[in-house]
Amino acid sequence: RVRRRLQQCLVDGRAGPRLYLDTSAVNWPNPAADGYWRTWYTAHKGFAFEPPIDLAAVVKRFDGAFRGLVVYDPARDGSRWVAMTLAGLDDLLPVTPELQAQLSLAGKPVVQDLRGRFDSDLAAYAWAADALLPRCPANAIYSAGRSHDGVKLGGDPTSTLAADFGVAQRMFFFNLSFSPKPTEYYGTTVPGYADQVAQLDALLNRLRRPAAVWGWCEPEGDFARRVSAHGHFVVCGSAPNLSFHHGVPAAPKALRQKRHAEPLAAKLEEKTYVTVLTNEGDTPKALVSEYLRGWSEPERGKVAVNWLVNPHLLAEFPVLAEHYYDTATDNDYFECAVSGAGYTLLSALPDTEAFGA
């Protein structure tokens, strides 16, 4: 399967990815990550990056990349995420009326106008679930996890950094709470929203198990537990430029450890053994951020470290896998992250055997 995905990336990536964001101002896992990959792609893939341009110039440059606009209501949060779903499904550019005027898009056709269309956020998602969800992948969905209009979800400003990948993969977007009752979160109380959770459960029930729930939502415990209880897994969205990384062709070669242990030949002694392994290996945040900057530490390679990695992500972003396997030392080992596919709570899964299969 990995080999087929590598070949498919080579086919899909012939035109090459063209737009790269600088997210250093908001990318807390590693503000230097975007620069790191630009340097690596220039040196190892022959890429040439132009100087940064503003949003208006981007829209003008890629005028032919979208066929029209979807105008959403800035006062209705649900319409924003419905617009994101429509953007992926129908090649539309999601804009507010103000942004439409600012970017001089007056000549572009408005294919969908969501202003005044929904009485509530729940009404927006109810319409989208019937009209759009059947057109989206059955095994991937995107949780924006953003607080809005008095709705407090805990909030992580990086939860939508991977939204470009969600749009590229035609995912269904939503911004709903995973907490049916108030939850303590880092010393504060996050309110519960039972009506939102009921609608969320209906969405998750319609997905094919196991599905990847991209993005994020706080409180983390409620989020991970509810996703797991539906038989799915979380893929944290705190990773920028994933649509770019996904489109970079990778060398079609096997990924192999530098060294292989022989368990049967090992002779255990009467002493304490310590194994060092990384956190965050189940998320693209680890791969894009160089394991939260750990990969660039000068001490790397002096002691044996197990770098956790999600095989699902290696298939989606083989060029990142190529980079890590090529730059690993003899003391760098790659291990499958705990649940295999992503972040899930094994104790909450309704059927661990089905998930394992």
Side-chain angles (χ1 to χ4, degrees):
R1 289 179 180 175
V2 173
R3 187 174 293 110
R4 285 201 298 270
R5 167 57 73 183
L6 285 168
Q7 293 169 345
Q8 188 64 39
C9 281
L10 286 170
V11 173
D12 293 346
R14 282 174 182 164
R18 296 177 293 165
L19 183 62
Y20 192 89
L21 301 179
D22 185 344
T23 63
S24 55
V26 294
N27 187 11
W28 68 261
N30 184 356
D34 294 325
Y36 177 90
W37 292 110
R38 283 198 304 270
T39 300
W40 190 80
Y41 283 139
T42 300
H44 296 273
K45 296 296 180 180
F47 282 25
F49 290 89
E50 297 181 22
I53 57 178
D54 62 18
L55 183 58
V58 169
V59 171
K60 184 177 180 180
R61 173 79 67 87
F62 298 103
D63 180 70
F66 58 98
R67 65 183 189 87
L69 309 177
V70 49
V71 182
Y72 64 89
D73 186 350
R76 174 66 61 210
D77 184 73
S79 75
R80 176 193 304 265
W81 306 107
V82 171
M84 290 288 281
T85 303
L86 284 164
L89 291 174
D90 296 328
D91 296 326
L92 305 178
L93 185 67
V95 294
T96 62
E98 179 182 6
L99 196 58
Q100 181 184 9
Q102 177 184 332
L103 298 178
S104 302
L105 293 168
K108 282 290 182 180
V110 176
V111 179
Q112 292 276 3
D113 192 338
L114 305 181
R115 290 172 291 180
R117 193 160 166 179
F118 307 116
D119 295 333
S120 66
D121 294 333
L122 296 184
Y125 295 127
W127 174 83
D130 291 335
L132 305 181
L133 186 60
R135 299 174 56 198
C136 297
N139 64 344
I141 198 167
Y142 203 108
S143 170
R146 306 298 291 268
S147 297
H148 63 93
D149 305 325
V151 177
K152 187 177 181 182
L153 300 182
D156 180 343
T158 67
S159 61
T160 51
L161 276 181
D164 62 306
F165 186 71
V167 170
Q169 298 297 310
R170 302 160 61 91
M171 293 183 199
F172 185 97
F173 281 78
F174 64 93
N175 192 25
L176 295 166
S177 173
F178 283 73
S179 305
K181 58 185 179 180
T183 305
E184 289 296 316
Y185 170 72
Y186 288 113
T188 64
T189 300
V190 175
Y193 304 96
D195 54 348
Q196 293 192 30
V197 173
Q199 189 171 52
L200 170 69
D201 284 339
L203 286 173
L204 296 179
N205 278 332
R206 293 178 62 172
L207 301 178
R208 184 174 68 242
R209 294 180 179 174
V213 180
W214 283 77
W216 194 252
C217 192
E218 298 288 1
E220 179 180 347
D222 290 347
F223 178 43
R225 191 171 297 106
R226 199 153 213 96
V227 169
S228 304
H230 283 273
H232 307 313
F233 58 92
V234 171
V235 182
C236 177
S238 299
N241 292 308
L242 290 182
S243 58
F244 188 98
H245 296 307
H246 177 78
V248 177
K253 59 184 180 181
L255 303 178
R256 298 189 182 280
Q257 306 274 11
K258 286 286 196 303
R259 292 196 303 179
H260 293 270
E262 295 294 339
L264 296 179
K267 296 181 180 179
L268 298 182
E269 301 177 26
E270 287 293 330
K271 61 183 181 182
T272 300
Y273 289 86
V274 176
T275 299
V276 182
L277 67 159
T278 65
N279 188 19
E280 303 285 1
D282 50 12
T283 165
K285 178 172 65 176
L287 298 180
V288 173
S289 70
E290 303 176 77
Y291 286 89
L292 282 68
R293 311 185 205 185
W295 198 258
S296 288
E297 292 290 342
E299 294 83 4
R300 181 173 65 86
K302 293 182 179 180
V303 296
V305 174
N306 298 285
W307 303 86
L308 295 187
V309 69
N310 177 349
H312 174 70
L313 297 178
L314 297 187
E316 291 288 357
F317 312 105
V319 72
L320 299 185
E322 175 190 336
H323 161 268
Y324 284 109
Y325 276 82
D326 283 353
T327 57
T329 71
D330 286 353
N331 266 335
D332 294 318
Y333 295 87
F334 298 104
E335 283 198 19
C336 181
V338 177
S339 70
Y343 172 15
T344 194
L345 302 179
L346 300 180
S347 60
L349 285 174
D351 189 339
T352 53
E353 289 190 10
F355 187 91

